């Protein structure tokens, strides 16, 4: 049961009986204050009713119809506080499936979009995990989600990698991961003092990429990228290729829509003479130069113009691309790709989003704002409002700045390999009997991938992140292993209780103590956490919630009575309370699994 939502509705109904409509806010009361939940609704009503907030709080207390699980309401000055019925509250949390806010509408999330010129490095992992977790969270909230990965197959970086193979006579041995192989050539070329003299050859490769002649080579690199992303737990619906976006005429279609706006022009004189210019001052106030060049005077397009065309297509402002199957992901679900020889999207299966989230690093903030403003320029304010740039800051690795061009940093594959090596070493100390078994390898994989993903997701995306091994793999602190260990501990309690012949049937909720109430309050927050994550477009609140669950559970598990003895031992609890505690631990274990799943993290069978 979502008690905050129920209380919100109850307070709003009571306000209407007093003659005013409000948007009530329900908060947990601060430690040491009376009650469990409270609302400052009286302040919102004071102006409309022209009464003292304290008097209004008293009227609300007299008129509010309390939902199940709430024992009483009490006006404390200008605040209205609620006191829960502990037994009914915990029973409601345990027995009623959490209800997420009903949401609808298709959301397109573009993430990864790594240049196909070398392997992914640890900095790219932040992009992949952010996008994948947002997809999981939006699906949980009820949205249809389409995950897209943009492939820049005509860019200089890809051309340099392919040219390096030709120039240095490099031959793939069929064993080394292909993206790592081409990446070595890319780094070698960029360190070559004679690179400037090789420009004609590089440009020849760019031309062959633009004609589609070398697409199969890029597909091999993309396939290797996807294997890395699959290992991280990410999944995709559609690959969109730069060459197909260009070949489908998105640029001209977008410019045709924009040219009918009073915010665009072709100046005949001055520094913008002959160019196609968009004035974004109405949509991006405060810019020193509000005019953005989309097409140069020679007819060539600025990069932002291509992004605008692609964004317009995502929202369904026009059609044009063709599609075909690419290959199946590890679960057997087909990933589709744009392709010039594919089939038209007659069923409008792809794109046509109501919201678009582009996961791109913070350096692209201005171009992304221009893309967003362009939707307002063509008269689509709703799409403009729901054009989201999920911006994230740089990642450093053990304090070192990453540079793919110079080959500085760790590849994503190497980071995952190292994580598994380190976790295996820990398992050798703690549980040597399962090291090397199928179960042991799966435990290692879940802990290793969980540690990496959580390290990337626990902070607000706009904060710079320094990935460090000792922090990511710690069993204490804000890490995935800390949460995973708490979940395994909960599983062990339930397993031992079952082995003793106990079940959650026959719970006596009247025996619930304040310890169980405080734990249930944290479990109950799950729907609100998901709603907040969707609203702010960040998974870090889910990661924090997972930590809160683990911390609350550990506090409950380690609680001591006045005599210094364990206060919450399930098997030693009296009948009725024992079953109630079992039921609560079951629900808490499920909440941990639900929260971690939104982060793409699995719970191991043992730790």
């Amino acid at each position: 049961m979502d008690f905050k939502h129920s209380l919100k509705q109850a307070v709003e109904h009571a306000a209407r009986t007093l003659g005013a409509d409000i948007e009530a806010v329900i908060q947990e009361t601060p430690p040491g204050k009376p009650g469990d939940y409270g609302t400052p609704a009286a302040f919102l009503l004071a102006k409309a009713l022209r009464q003292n907030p304290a008097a209004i709080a008293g009227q609300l207390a007299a008129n509010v119809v309390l939902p199940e699980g709430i024992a009483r309401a009490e006006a404390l000055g200008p605040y209205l506080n609620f006191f829960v019925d502990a037994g009914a509250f915990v029973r409601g949390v345990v027995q009623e499936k959490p209800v997420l806010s009903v949401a609808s509408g298709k959301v397109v999330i573009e993430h990864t979009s790594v240049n196909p010129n070398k392997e992914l490095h640890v900095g790219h992992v932040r992009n992949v995990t952010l996008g994948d977790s947002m997809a999981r969270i939006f699906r949980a909230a009820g949205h249809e989600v389409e995950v897209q990965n943009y492939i820049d197959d005509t860019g200089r970086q890809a051309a340099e990698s392919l040219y390096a193979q030709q120039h240095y006579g490099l031959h793939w041995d069929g064993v080394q991961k292909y993206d790592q192989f081409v990446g070595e050539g890319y780094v070698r070329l960029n360190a070559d003092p004679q690179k400037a003299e090789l420009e004609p050859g590089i440009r020849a490769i760019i031309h062959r990429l633009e004609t589609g002649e070398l697409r199969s080579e890029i597909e091999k690199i993309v396939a290797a990228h996807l294997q890395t992303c699959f290992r991280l737990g990410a999944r995709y619906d559609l690959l969109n290729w730069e060459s197909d976006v260009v070949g489908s005429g998105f640029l001209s279609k977008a410019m045709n829509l924009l040219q009918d706006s009073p915010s665009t022009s072709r100046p005949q004189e001055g520094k913008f003479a002959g160019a196609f210019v968009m004035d974004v001052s109405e949509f991006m106030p405060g810019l020193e130069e509000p005019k953005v060049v989309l097409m140069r005077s020679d007819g060539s397009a600025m990069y932002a113009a291509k992004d605008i065309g692609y964004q317009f297509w995502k929202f369904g402002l026009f059609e044009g691309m063709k599609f075909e199957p690419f290959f199946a992901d590890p679960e057997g679900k087909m990933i589709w790709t744009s392709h010039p020889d594919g089939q038209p999207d007659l069923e409008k299966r792809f794109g046509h989003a109501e919201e678009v989230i582009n996961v791109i690093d913070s350096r692209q903030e201005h171009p992304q704002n221009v893309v967003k403003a362009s939707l307002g320029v063509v008269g689509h304010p709703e799409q403009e409002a729901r054009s989201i740039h999920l911006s994230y800051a740089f990642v450093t690795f053990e304090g070192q700045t990453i540079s793919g061009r110079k080959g500085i940093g760790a590849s994503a594959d190497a980071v995952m390999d190292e994580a598994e090596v380190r976790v295996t070493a820990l398992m050798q100390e703690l549980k040597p009997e399962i090291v090397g078994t199928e179960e042991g390898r799966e435990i290692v994989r879940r802990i290793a991938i969980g540690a990496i993903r959580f390290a990337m997701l626990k902070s607000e995306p706009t904060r710079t992140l320094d990935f460090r091994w000792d922090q990511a793999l710690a069993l204490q602190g804000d890490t995935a292993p800390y949460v995973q260990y708490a979940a395994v501990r909960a599983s062990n309690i339930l397993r031992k209780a079952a082995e003793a012949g106990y079940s959650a049937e026959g719970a006596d909720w009247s025996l619930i103590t304040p310890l169980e109430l405080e734990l249930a309050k944290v479990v109950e927050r799950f729907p609100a956490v998901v709603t907040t994550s969707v609203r702010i477009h960040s998974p870090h609140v889910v990661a924090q919630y997972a930590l809160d669950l683990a911390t609350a559970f550990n506090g409950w598990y380690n609680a001591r009575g006045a005599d210094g003895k364990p206060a919450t031992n399930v098997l030693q609890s009296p009948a009725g309370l024992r079953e109630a505690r079992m039921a609560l631990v079951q629900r808490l274990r499920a909440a941990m699994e639900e929260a971690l799943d939104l982060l793409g993290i699995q719970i191991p069978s043992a730790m």
Side-chain angles (χ1 to χ4, degrees):
M1 176 180 289
D2 188 342
F3 285 88
K4 286 186 179 179
H5 181 68
S6 298
L7 285 171
K8 179 178 185 297
Q9 291 182 318
V11 171
E12 288 171 354
H13 182 268
R16 284 193 292 274
T17 66
L18 299 182
D21 285 318
I22 60 168
E23 182 76 18
V25 175
I26 307 297
Q27 305 162 325
E28 291 188 32
T29 56
K33 297 293 183 180
D36 299 287
Y37 297 100
T39 177
F43 289 102
L44 299 177
L45 290 165
K47 185 175 181 179
L49 301 180
R50 297 183 180 180
Q51 294 182 37
N52 183 284
I56 295 174
Q59 295 176 51
L60 286 173
N63 284 274
V64 68
V65 178
L66 300 177
E68 183 180 0
I70 305 299
R72 73 181 195 277
E74 184 177 315
L76 296 167
Y79 295 95
L80 179 63
N81 285 9
F82 300 95
F83 297 77
V84 304
D85 177 330
F89 183 93
V90 177
R91 183 185 65 221
V93 170
V94 168
Q95 294 183 346
E96 297 187 27
K97 183 177 175 63
V99 179
L100 299 178
S101 299
V102 178
S104 62
K106 183 176 182 179
V107 178
V108 164
I109 300 177
E110 181 202 326
H111 69 82
T112 307
S113 304
V114 175
N115 286 323
N117 66 311
K118 64 189 307 292
E119 72 273 23
L120 277 71
H121 58 61
V122 67
H124 295 132
V125 174
R126 191 174 201 183
N127 183 305
V128 174
T129 54
L130 279 170
D132 182 66
S133 295
M134 279 280 83
R136 293 167 182 264
I137 291 165
F138 270 79
R139 285 194 185 102
H143 290 276
E144 176 189 356
V145 177
E146 178 178 302
V147 177
Q148 298 183 4
N149 184 352
Y150 188 81
I151 313 299
D152 184 3
D153 60 320
T154 64
R156 166 170 284 274
Q157 289 88 345
E160 289 184 353
S161 289
L162 297 185
Y163 177 77
Q165 295 179 48
Q166 169 189 305
H167 179 68
Y168 300 116
L170 305 177
H171 299 283
W172 183 45
D173 61 8
V175 177
Q176 184 182 18
K177 198 158 174 284
Y178 191 70
D179 54 351
Q180 295 173 0
F181 162 70
V182 298
E184 290 175 357
Y186 175 79
V187 172
R188 180 176 174 180
L189 179 66
N190 279 280
D192 193 329
Q194 306 299 317
K195 183 186 176 186
E197 301 172 13
L198 306 177
E199 183 63 21
I202 296 171
R203 293 206 61 80
I205 294 292
I206 292 175
H207 177 70
R208 293 175 68 189
L209 286 171
E210 290 173 343
T211 62
E213 182 182 346
L214 299 175
R215 179 162 177 147
S216 62
E217 289 298 311
I218 302 299
E219 286 181 345
K220 289 163 61 178
I221 302 172
V222 171
H225 279 180
L226 290 177
Q227 294 305 322
T228 300
C229 297
F230 292 160
R231 188 177 173 191
L232 279 166
R235 299 294 181 264
Y236 303 86
D237 298 300
L238 178 64
L239 311 178
N240 280 329
W241 294 63
E242 165 97 359
S243 57
D244 297 329
V245 170
V246 173
S248 298
F250 288 2
L251 176 63
S252 60
K253 291 175 182 179
M255 297 305 104
N256 287 339
L257 290 176
L258 285 164
Q259 70 181 3
D260 294 331
S261 169
S263 296
T264 59
S265 62
R266 293 185 182 274
Q268 298 303 307
E269 55 186 26
K271 65 178 180 178
F272 298 120
F276 182 51
V277 178
M278 179 171 66
D279 185 343
V280 297
S281 56
E282 180 183 347
F283 309 95
M284 296 172 62
L287 292 179
E288 184 176 338
E289 175 51 76
K291 291 185 177 180
V292 177
V293 175
L294 299 179
M295 304 292 293
R296 300 182 183 91
S297 57
D298 62 4
S300 61
M302 300 295 287
Y303 202 85
K306 298 179 183 179
D307 284 349
I308 288 170
Y310 185 36
Q311 192 81 342
F312 283 8
W313 172 81
K314 289 178 183 176
F315 276 111
L317 300 192
F318 46 70
E319 309 293 333
M321 267 201 295
K322 297 178 181 179
F323 305 94
E324 67 178 26
F326 191 63
F327 64 56
D329 67 20
E331 279 75 50
K333 180 176 176 289
M334 182 56 65
I335 301 174
W336 285 71
T337 179
S338 63
H339 199 283
D341 298 328
Q343 297 298 314
D345 187 19
L346 299 178
E347 297 179 0
K348 298 182 179 180
R349 175 178 177 181
F350 300 114
H352 298 89
E354 292 186 21
E355 181 167 310
V356 174
I357 302 171
N358 295 323
V359 185
I360 306 176
D361 72 58
S362 56
R363 293 172 298 179
Q364 299 300 312
E365 183 174 356
H366 178 71
Q368 283 294 302
N369 283 337
V370 170
V371 170
K372 180 183 178 75
S374 68
L375 288 158
V377 168
V378 295
H380 288 274
E382 291 185 9
Q383 285 87 343
E384 179 196 5
R386 300 189 70 177
S387 180
I388 308 299
H389 174 206
L390 201 172
S391 173
Y392 64 93
F394 290 110
V395 176
T396 55
F397 182 69
E398 296 284 356
Q400 187 178 32
T401 300
I402 298 166
S403 172
R405 185 178 297 274
K406 297 179 181 179
I408 299 174
S411 75
D413 293 302
V415 167
M416 288 186 279
D417 290 342
E418 179 66 15
E420 292 191 0
V421 168
R422 290 174 180 251
V423 174
T424 300
L426 290 173
M427 292 294 291
Q428 188 69 54
E429 295 179 14
L430 301 173
K431 290 187 176 294
E433 69 277 6
I434 64 172
V435 172
T437 66
E438 184 176 347
E439 179 189 14
R441 286 190 291 271
E442 180 61 13
I443 289 171
V444 166
R445 186 193 68 80
R446 292 187 177 198
I447 295 173
I449 298 302
I452 293 169
R453 288 189 65 120
F454 199 89
M456 296 293 171
L457 297 171
K458 67 182 180 181
S459 303
E460 293 183 49
T462 52
R463 293 180 57 184
T464 301
L465 189 156
D466 183 27
F467 184 89
R468 292 184 178 269
W469 286 117
D470 57 344
Q471 296 172 3
L473 294 173
L475 290 177
Q476 296 294 325
D478 52 348
T479 69
Y482 173 71
V483 181
Q484 290 170 316
Y485 185 75
V488 169
R489 173 179 276 177
S491 297
N492 289 339
I493 291 173
L494 298 172
R495 176 180 52 79
K496 291 176 181 179
E499 290 172 351
Y502 301 127
S503 75
E505 299 295 324
D508 186 344
W509 302 104
S510 67
L511 299 177
I512 286 296
T513 76
L515 293 171
E516 284 74 52
L517 175 60
E518 292 307 309
L519 184 57
K521 282 183 183 179
V522 180
V523 174
E524 186 270 341
R525 284 167 35 203
F526 179 71
V529 168
V530 174
T531 299
T532 299
S533 181
V534 167
R535 177 174 54 81
I536 68 173
H537 298 91
S538 175
H540 81 276
V541 291
V542 177
Q544 183 58 56
Y545 174 69
L547 290 170
D548 291 346
L549 281 173
T551 300
F553 173 68
N554 288 335
W556 176 84
Y557 178 87
N558 293 313
R560 301 279 170 171
D563 57 2
K565 296 180 179 179
T568 57
N569 189 302
V570 172
L571 270 65
Q572 295 180 11
S573 299
L577 179 57
R578 176 181 59 221
E579 287 72 23
R581 283 176 167 167
M582 279 188 67
L584 179 56
V585 172
Q586 284 179 340
R587 182 67 197 93
L588 173 120
R589 169 61 172 71
M592 285 183 175
E593 186 169 12
E594 291 163 355
L596 288 176
D597 182 66
L598 296 182
L599 302 173
I601 298 171
Q602 296 173 297
I603 297 172
S605 59
M607 286 185 74

